[in-house]
Amino acid sequence: MPSLQAPDPRTRPGGRQPHDLLVSRVPALKRVGHKGADHVAPGNTAESFAAALEHGVDMIEFDVLRLRDGRLVLAHDFKVAAKRTPLTLDEGLDLFAGEAYSGVELDVDLKLPGYEQEVLDGLAARGLSERSLISSQYLESIDRLRELAPDVRRGWSVPRAQRDYTRSVWAVPAYGVLQVIKRRLPARAASFIRSGRIHAVMAHHYVVTPRLAESVREAGGELYVWTVDDAAKIARLEAMGVHAVITNDPRLFDQGNLISQSPAE
C-alpha cells in the first residue's frame, strides 16, 4: 500500500513530509550530508552542497577552519585547504542564505577554537542562526558559544580526533581508548544536556550504543552519528532510535532506512 498524502501537503527538505505527517513508509530519521555529499563531489564545495540538496538531505554539515593567513574558510583541515581554493566562510554562508537552501538545516562544525564570534555574526547577519547547530570537539569552544549566544544550538562532537586511528598502526590502543569513552559517554552526555551546556551529541558510530541513545533522549537532547557510509548500519542506527545520521553519501538513505521502508500493514 503506498503512502497516503496529507490534505495539507507541507514539505520537508528534499520533498519529504514533515515529521507530524509521517506515515509508515516515510522515515523520521534526520538525514545529514557530511561536507555536503563528499562521496558524490569533493566536500565543503558548492558542488558537494548541491549534490546533498539533490539527494534530499534535511541538514548539511560543513567545516569552518581559520587558515594561517587569518581567513575563515570551509575546509576540514589545512592539508585539504592547500589542495584547492576553498570557499570562504562568507561565500559559504551567502550560498546557504539563498532560496535553494531555505528548507535545509546547517551543522556548522568548528575545527578549532577561537573564531566563535565571527561564525555567530556571519550566521546572524544572514538570518541563519535559527536553523543552525554549531558543533565542536572542543568544550572550551562550546562554552564560549554559550556565553556569546545562549540560544544557539550547540553540539559536542566525540571523540576528539583528527583522523580515524582505528585504521592505522595505532588501531589497538585506539580501540582501547574508544572502549573507555563508550562506557563513560552516556552519563557525561546526559549531564551536559541537562545542565544546558549542549543540545546535541555528535558521536562517532563506534561509541554509539543503545544506552547512549536512551540517555541522550531521556535528557532531552539529540544524538547525531558520524560518519556512516553503510546502508545496513543506517538502518540499525534508526532502529536504535538515534536522532540523525551523518553520511558522506546521502544516496544511501534511499537504501538505509529499511525499517521505515517496510510495507505498510
Side-chain angles (χ1 to χ4, degrees):
M1 177 178 178
S3 302
L4 299 177
Q5 294 296 319
D8 176 16
R10 291 172 289 158
T11 59
R12 298 174 67 200
R16 293 185 301 279
Q17 291 175 294
H19 293 291
D20 61 328
L21 298 181
L22 294 179
V23 291
S24 61
R25 289 174 62 89
V26 183
L29 186 75
K30 183 177 288 189
R31 305 172 172 198
V32 186
H34 186 235
K35 307 178 192 176
D38 195 35
H39 281 183
V40 181
N44 288 311
T45 64
E47 294 78 14
S48 192
F49 301 145
L53 195 66
E54 178 185 352
H55 292 292
V57 300
D58 304 297
M59 173 182 270
I60 291 175
E61 184 270 355
F62 63 95
D63 303 308
V64 181
L65 178 70
R66 189 188 295 283
L67 299 183
R68 294 180 176 90
D69 62 10
R71 289 180 299 145
L72 287 177
V73 299
L74 273 53
H76 183 271
D77 53 54
F78 297 115
K79 184 177 180 180
V80 170
K83 291 181 178 179
R84 60 172 180 262
T85 302
L87 290 171
T88 65
L89 176 62
D90 285 338
E91 289 170 339
L93 295 182
D94 285 344
L95 180 67
F96 292 127
E99 180 63 28
Y101 292 89
S102 61
V104 179
E105 293 182 83
L106 305 174
D107 172 13
V108 188
D109 191 27
L110 308 187
K111 305 313 293 182
L112 292 170
Y115 41 87
E116 295 83 5
Q117 185 69 70
E118 291 160 271
V119 170
L120 288 168
D121 289 346
L123 292 170
R126 296 164 176 83
L128 297 174
S129 301
E130 290 188 2
R131 57 184 172 100
S132 296
L133 180 153
I134 306 179
S135 58
S136 175
Q137 296 180 345
Y138 296 88
L139 286 171
E140 58 263 42
S141 189
I142 289 171
D143 292 341
R144 179 61 174 159
L145 289 166
R146 184 183 185 186
E147 176 185 339
L148 294 169
D151 294 334
V152 169
R153 291 185 294 160
R154 299 174 297 278
W156 177 40
S157 186
V158 290
R160 184 189 299 182
Q162 298 303 313
R163 63 189 181 95
D164 187 352
Y165 288 100
T166 64
R167 299 182 181 182
S168 71
V169 295
W170 301 102
V172 173
Y175 278 118
V177 171
L178 288 173
Q179 287 292 344
V180 174
I181 293 172
K182 186 184 293 188
R183 289 196 301 270
R184 296 178 178 176
L185 185 57
R188 196 177 187 202
S191 175
F192 286 174
I193 293 167
R194 289 194 174 99
S195 70
R197 194 175 192 182
I198 62 173
H199 302 88
V201 177
M202 332 294 287
H204 186 275
H205 63 84
Y206 188 83
V207 300
V208 173
T209 61
R211 180 169 164 247
L212 176 63
E214 181 179 5
S215 295
V216 170
R217 184 168 56 251
E218 290 181 350
E222 299 175 344
L223 178 58
Y224 290 69
V225 186
W226 55 273
T227 303
V228 187
D229 297 328
D230 177 84
K233 186 172 289 185
I234 290 174
R236 290 195 295 271
L237 289 165
E238 183 183 20
M240 193 184 295
V242 308
H243 183 82
V245 167
I246 304 172
T247 183
N248 287 304
D249 192 349
R251 296 171 297 187
L252 290 174
F253 287 124
D254 294 332
Q255 310 166 41
N257 292 298
L258 304 180
I259 297 171
S260 299
Q261 291 180 359
S262 59
E265 296 180 354

